[in-house]
Amino acid sequence: MTAAKSDYRWPHKHLLGLEELSPEDIRFLLSTAYGFEQVSTRSVKKVPALRGKVVVNLFFEDSTRTRASFSLAASRLSADIFDFAATGSSVSKGESLRDTVRTIEAMGVDVIVCRHHLSGAAHQVAGSVNCSVINAGDGQHEHPTQGLLDIYTICRRLGLEGYDLSGVTVAIVGDVAHSRVARSNIHGLIKLGAHVVLVGPPTLLPQGFTELGCELSNDLDSVLPRVDVVNMLRVQFERIQSQAFPSVREYTHMFGLTTHRLTLAKPEVVVMHPGPLNRGIEIDSAVADGPNSAILSQVTNGLAIRMATLFLVTGAQGKGEG
Amino acid sequence: MSSLTIIRGRVIDPANKIDRVTDLVIEGGRVTSLGDKSRPRTDRVIDASGCIICPGLIDPHVHFREPGQEEKETIATGAAAAVAGGFTSVCCMPNTEPAIDDDGRVDFIYHQAARAKQANVFPVGAVTKARAGRELAEIGLMAASGAVAFSDDGVAVASAGTMAKALTYIAMTGKVLMQHCEDPELGGGVMNAGSLASRLGLAGWPRVAEEVIIQRDILLNLHQNIGARYHVQHVSSGGSVELVRRARQDLFGQAHVTAEVSPHHLLLTEDDCASYDTHFKVNPPLRSRRDIEELLAGVRDGTITVLATDHAPHTQEEKELEFAAAPFGMIGLECALPLYIKALIESETIDWPTMISMMTVNPARLCSLTGKGTLTPGAHADVTIIDPKEKWTIDANEFKSKSRNCPFHGWKATGRAITTIVSGDVKLLRDPDRLKDQTDAHDRSKPTQHQPSQIVAQSLHDSKI
C-alpha cells in the first residue's frame, strides 16, 4: 500500500469531484493517504509538509465534522488555517460568490476548502481564483473527500492492497437523488472496478445512473445477500423539497438497515454511513454500533484522506492543468 | 367444504380458450378437474344443462361505503349483493370515511369480508393521504397488507407532479394505478356539458375534462419512462377510447394502459337526465348515443378490456335531493350481467367468451388476483353458473344491497346468474332442483336430507349479517 509507480505525477490543481479523476489519480491519492495515516498514531502528530501555506475553510453551509476534519488535517501538515463562516459575513450583505472568494484569495491563500449548499459552487470558485480549491461538498453534486474516505475504508476493511475493487459489490441505499456522497462514491467505486447497486424508493433513484453502470433496485432484501459493502445514506429531510416517500414508517419498513435485515447479508458485510445518523430511520443503533459497522473508521480515515488531498493539490500548484 | 361436480353446462374459460359442454369438479375449495372423462365421484352434483359455467365474475370497481357510511352499504351487504349478481370477487374503492390509506384499514376490509362470508372483497388503497391529492399514502405498506390496486376514485390525482410521483412509486409495487379521470377545474358539473345541460340550467362536465387527464397520464408514463400500470376507470367519452387505443399501440404496449366501461355508460344517455331524475346522475356523466357507439367500438376492437359496475350505493333521502345537490352514482352488482348481455351480446358487439374474459380473467390480471379468473385445475373454486335465457324483471326492492338507487328498476332482462360458488361453497342457488346429493342417492338406508335448501338458508342467513 505504498506509493504508486515512480513516473506518476499528480496532475490536478483542484479536487472538485471524483468524476474528473482517473483510476490512477484515485489510487495514488489513496496510497498517499495510507502514508499519512501513520502520522496520527505518533506522539507528535505533525509533519512539516505544508509549513508556510495558508488554508481557508470557506463554508457557505453548516458543517461540523468535515470542517473539523479539514482543520485537523491542515494543522497536522503544519499549514496555517482559518475558518471563514460565509453566513453572517459580507455574503449576507449581497456580495457575489466571485467577489467573496477573490477577496479571500487576496489575503494570500494557497488552498480554499469550499462547502456550499448549491451544486457547481466549487467549480465556480475554482474558475474565479488562482489558488487551489478543494470541494468539501457542493449541493447535490459531489463530496469527493467523503467518496475517497469511503473507498479507502472499504479497501482497508477488505484488505485490498492495490485499491482494486474488481469483484466487490457495493450497495448504496437511500436518498441517492439528493446525495452528493452517493455521486462521489459511484464515480470512484466504478472507476476502481466495483459493481454498484443503488437501492431505494424509485422516487429517490435517478434512472440516469444506469448509464454510469449502476444497477438500480427497489428491493433491499433481495440485494443484501450479494453485497460486500452496504453504505446507508442519510435521509436528507432538509433537501427533499417535495415528498418523495409516503412516511418515515414506510421508508424504514422497506429500506431501513434493521438488526433483522442485517441477518440477510453476508456475515462479514461492511456497514457504512456518512453521518450524521438518523438512528432508527435508515439504520438501527445496534447495527450502527455493531461489529459490522465501519462508521467510526470512516471518520478516522477522513483525516488521512484530507491530508493527502491538501498535500497533493498544493504540490501541483502552477504545474497541473487544474 | 364438500366436493361438487357441475355437469352438462357450457364451460367458458377464456384463459384456457375453453368453450364446450363438459364437466367441472371442485374439491377442497379448488378446481380439481375440468373436462376430464375419468373425473372422481363427488358428494354433490349440480346439473347446469342449458347454462354457462364460467370462472366467478370479478368486478374491479365497487363502493361498499364501510367504514363511515354504513347507512348506504356495508361490506357484508355489498358482498351479498355481489353474490346475488354472480360476482365472486370485487375490489372496493377507498373513498370511505376515513379513506383506505394505510395498512390497518386495508386489514379492516379483509376482516369485514371474512366475517361476511359472501364474495371475496379486495381493498383498493388510496394513492394519496385522505385522497387529498397532495402526499403519497403509505402505498408500500398497503401493498404488503394486500391492497390489490391504488386509486383516489371519486376524484382524480389532479396534480401532474403528484401523479408522476405516484406512477413512479406504485410501479415499485407492481400494482396498477386506477385513475378517475376528471380534471377538477374542467369537470365538476353534474351532467354532460352540452345544449341539454344548458337548457336544464345544470352545470356541465365536458368530455375534455376526462380526456385531458387520460392524455396527460399517458404522456407522463411514456416520457418519464416509468412503464407503470395505468388503468382508466369508467371511461365515458368516445375521445377517451381513441386516446387509450393509441396508447395501447405505443411504447409500453397493452399491459400498461387499460380501460374499463360500466353498464350505464353503454346503455343510457344524457337524455335520461331531462326529467331531473337523480337516479341518472353519475360521475362521469351519461353522454350521447355517439359516445355509446364509440365505447362499443372500443370493446369490439379490444381497446376496452374490463367491465366494471362502479356500484355506488346512496340512500333514498339523498337521491331525493335536487339534481344539483344529489350525490353521484348508481348501484349495479345485481343487474350488471343482463345489462352487459343486452349491451354487448344482443348488439352482437362481442361473443360470450370475450364478454366472460372481460368479467373474469382480465380484471383478475388487472388487480393481480392470483388463482382467480380461470378454471385451470388448481385455481380457486370461484364459479358462476349463468342461465343466458332466463327472462326476469329487474326489481331493486329485491336487491341484497342496502340501497335502491338503480335506474334500471323495472327493466325487462334476459340472462341471470343462477348459482354463485365462492371457494367451493355454494353461496347462491336459485334453482334447488338442479342440485343432487349423491351420497343420499347412493345410500337409500339414510333418511332423505334436504341439503340444498339448507345451503340456501345458510346463504340467506349470512347475507343478513
Side-chain angles (χ1 to χ4, degrees):
Chain A
M1 278 200 179
T2 47
K5 295 180 286 261
S6 58
D7 57 345
Y8 175 87
R9 194 181 174 87
W10 176 263
H12 302 289
K13 177 178 167 184
H14 309 298
L15 178 67
L16 302 179
L18 295 196
E19 187 168 7
E20 293 90 355
L21 299 189
S22 69
E24 294 70 35
D25 296 336
I26 296 172
R27 291 197 174 100
F28 185 77
L29 196 150
L30 296 175
S31 54
T32 306
Y34 182 70
F36 281 124
E37 191 184 323
Q38 315 308 318
V39 174
S40 297
T41 60
R42 296 183 197 163
S43 57
V44 178
K45 298 181 175 57
K46 211 157 189 144
V47 291
L50 292 193
R51 185 152 57 197
K53 301 283 187 189
V54 178
V55 177
V56 60
N57 272 335
L58 177 59
F59 276 55
F60 294 88
E61 180 186 78
D62 290 339
S63 163
T64 308
R65 62 186 67 211
T66 304
R67 185 166 59 183
S69 184
F70 269 108
S71 293
L72 272 174
S75 57
R76 281 185 188 175
L77 295 169
S78 306
D80 294 318
I81 176 118
F82 75 91
D83 284 346
F84 185 94
T87 50
S89 71
S90 48
V91 173
S92 55
K93 296 169 191 160
E95 189 174 61
S96 73
L97 178 63
R98 179 181 164 83
D99 282 345
T100 301
V101 296
R102 284 168 65 85
T103 303
I104 290 167
E105 187 191 24
M107 297 174 195
V109 168
D110 299 288
V111 183
I112 292 175
V113 176
C114 180
R115 158 73 61 97
H116 201 286
H117 53 279
L118 295 176
S119 303
H123 283 77
Q124 287 170 314
V125 171
S128 305
V129 296
N130 292 312
C131 66
S132 291
V133 175
I134 298 174
N135 181 6
D138 62 323
Q140 303 169 17
H141 175 229
E142 281 227 44
H143 190 355
T145 56
Q146 179 74 42
L148 288 164
L149 72 88
D150 286 345
I151 294 166
Y152 184 78
T153 303
I154 292 168
C155 292
R156 298 282 278 135
R157 273 274 183 150
L158 300 181
L160 303 173
E161 303 218 336
Y163 305 106
D164 180 359
L165 294 173
S166 303
V168 175
T169 302
V170 179
I172 299 175
V173 183
D175 182 5
V176 174
H178 300 93
S179 174
R180 55 196 176 209
V181 174
R183 281 169 182 72
S184 290
N185 264 276
I186 290 165
H187 290 304
L189 288 167
I190 287 177
K191 283 175 182 182
L192 297 194
H195 178 58
V196 178
V197 190
L198 306 177
V199 186
T203 41
L204 290 175
L205 294 185
Q207 291 285 322
F209 281 2
T210 53
E211 292 167 16
L212 300 175
C214 297
E215 176 188 342
L216 266 53
S217 171
N218 310 129
D219 185 358
L220 181 55
D221 290 351
S222 74
V223 169
L224 273 180
R226 60 188 169 94
V227 302
D228 303 291
V229 178
V230 54
N231 196 344
M232 302 301 299
L233 298 175
R234 194 170 70 87
V235 179
Q236 298 185 288
F237 294 103
E238 71 279 10
R239 281 187 194 278
I240 301 175
Q241 307 216 326
S242 65
Q243 180 220 23
F245 50 86
S247 66
V248 168
R249 175 170 165 256
E250 176 157 319
Y251 183 90
T252 302
H253 178 83
M254 301 177 83
F255 302 108
L257 191 58
T258 58
T259 313
H260 169 72
R261 198 163 258 146
L262 189 65
T263 62
L264 301 173
K266 296 176 185 176
E268 68 279 11
V269 70
V270 181
V271 174
M272 299 172 61
H273 191 296
L277 305 171
N278 293 311
R279 287 175 184 264
I281 295 178
E282 70 264 0
I283 191 165
D284 271 5
S285 278
V287 176
D289 304 333
N292 294 90
S293 172
I295 294 172
L296 289 177
S297 302
Q298 291 173 265
V299 178
T300 307
N301 292 335
L303 212 53
I305 289 292
R306 286 168 182 130
M307 289 169 76
T309 304
L310 287 165
F311 178 77
L312 291 176
V313 297
T314 50
Q317 187 171 359
K319 299 171 190 164
E321 88 282 20
Chain B
M1 201 181 286
S2 54
S3 56
L4 172 70
T5 306
I6 306 168
I7 58 169
R8 297 194 195 109
R10 173 187 174 190
V11 174
I12 299 179
D13 182 16
N16 291 309
K17 296 192 167 56
I18 290 173
D19 179 9
R20 65 172 190 273
V21 175
T22 188
D23 302 336
L24 177 75
V25 182
I26 292 167
E27 294 170 292
R30 300 270 173 173
V31 174
T32 54
S33 162
L34 174 59
D36 189 348
K37 291 224 183 331
S38 61
R39 61 177 170 77
R41 184 181 178 82
T42 56
D43 300 344
R44 292 180 296 161
V45 171
I46 291 178
D47 184 345
S49 301
C51 294
I52 289 167
I53 303 169
C54 65
L57 304 180
I58 299 171
D59 187 346
H61 190 150
V62 301
H63 299 268
F64 282 177
R65 307 299 186 204
E66 187 179 355
Q69 293 183 308
E70 287 86 348
E71 73 280 10
K72 301 183 184 203
E73 194 82 285
T74 64
I75 289 165
T77 59
V83 164
F87 291 91
T88 56
S89 294
V90 297
C91 302
C92 60
M93 290 298 140
N95 61 334
T96 48
E97 294 173 4
I100 308 304
D101 65 356
D102 68 25
D103 49 350
R105 290 173 191 158
V106 167
D107 288 342
F108 170 79
I109 302 292
Y110 278 115
H111 279 300
Q112 292 299 77
R115 286 188 185 117
K117 297 190 185 69
Q118 292 289 330
N120 302 295
V121 180
F122 295 100
V124 173
V127 176
T128 63
K129 285 176 186 161
R131 298 172 47 254
R134 288 188 289 274
E135 295 176 73
L136 296 184
E138 288 178 324
I139 287 159
L141 292 169
M142 284 193 281
S145 285
V148 296
F150 295 95
S151 176
D152 277 355
D153 184 41
V155 293
V157 180
S159 147
T162 303
M163 185 60 183
K165 209 157 52 180
L167 284 168
T168 307
Y169 200 84
I170 290 172
M172 169 175 66
T173 69
K175 308 290 183 197
V176 64
L177 193 162
M178 299 172 160
Q179 177 79 301
H180 168 112
C181 301
E182 177 187 5
D183 182 277
E185 292 173 352
L186 297 173
V190 298
M191 69 171 289
N192 185 42
S195 59
L196 180 60
S198 299
R199 268 174 25 227
L200 294 173
L202 293 173
W205 180 151
R207 295 173 184 84
V208 67
E210 177 173 287
E211 293 158 7
V212 79
I213 292 287
I214 294 173
Q215 185 66 87
R216 180 203 72 179
D217 292 348
I218 289 167
L219 289 173
L220 284 175
N221 213 1
L222 279 177
H223 289 269
Q224 291 204 138
N225 209 28
I226 302 166
R229 291 171 59 213
Y230 173 75
H231 179 71
V232 177
Q233 297 184 301
H234 42 47
V235 60
S236 72
S237 101
S240 300
V241 176
E242 179 55 20
L243 293 174
V244 173
R245 182 179 289 125
R246 267 188 270 145
R248 282 168 65 82
Q249 295 161 356
D250 225 324
L251 183 60
F252 288 116
Q254 303 195 344
H256 289 85
V257 181
T258 52
E260 72 188 27
V261 67
S262 304
H264 44 274
H265 288 126
L266 293 170
L267 291 168
L268 305 175
T269 67
E270 62 176 343
D271 295 339
D272 293 305
C273 300
S275 64
Y276 296 99
D277 183 343
T278 61
H279 286 99
F280 297 93
K281 181 179 175 183
V282 65
N283 188 356
L286 304 173
R287 307 265 182 214
S288 68
R289 175 49 53 186
R290 172 90 183 266
D291 291 283
I292 290 178
E293 281 161 15
E294 287 169 1
L295 291 170
L296 290 174
V299 170
R300 189 183 300 115
D301 71 8
T303 298
I304 298 169
T305 55
V306 173
L307 300 176
T309 64
D310 192 8
H311 177 87
H314 292 292
T315 63
Q316 196 169 339
E317 304 87 84
E318 288 175 301
K319 278 293 186 181
E320 284 168 357
L321 292 169
E322 302 86 343
F323 196 94
F328 293 100
M330 48 187 71
I331 55 175
L333 279 169
E334 292 172 77
C335 54
L337 180 59
L339 296 175
Y340 291 136
I341 293 170
K342 181 188 266 311
L344 302 175
I345 304 284
E346 290 175 12
S347 69
E348 298 185 338
T349 302
I350 51 173
D351 57 12
W352 269 99
T354 305
M355 193 182 88
I356 296 295
S357 72
M358 296 177 75
M359 301 180 75
T360 57
V361 62
N362 293 354
R365 285 181 185 148
L366 178 72
C367 298
S368 316
L369 306 179
T370 48
K372 298 203 179 292
T374 169
L375 298 173
T376 307
H380 300 168
D382 295 347
V383 183
T384 301
I385 303 177
I386 299 165
D387 181 346
K389 299 273 184 341
E390 182 176 335
K391 305 246 186 256
W392 59 295
T393 301
I394 296 169
D395 181 355
N397 297 314
E398 299 276 300
F399 283 175
K400 302 284 183 203
S401 170
K402 228 175 185 181
S403 288
R404 301 283 173 260
N405 55 309
C406 178
F408 302 103
H409 175 72
W411 279 40
K412 302 283 184 230
T414 302
R416 194 175 202 185
I418 60 162
T419 297
T420 308
I421 299 168
V422 180
S423 298
D425 289 337
V426 179
K427 299 291 185 189
L428 173 79
L429 185 66
R430 291 198 191 279
D431 183 0
D433 291 343
R434 286 182 180 268
L435 191 144
K436 297 278 184 294
D437 194 322
Q438 296 203 126
T439 52
D440 282 353
H442 207 62
D443 183 2
R444 285 162 187 270
S445 64
K446 276 190 181 175
T448 309
Q449 290 181 14
H450 294 285
Q451 192 75 4
S453 54
Q454 282 179 7
I455 291 166
V456 173
Q458 182 65 33
S459 165
L460 290 172
H461 174 74
D462 286 341
S463 69
K464 286 176 187 158
I465 293 170

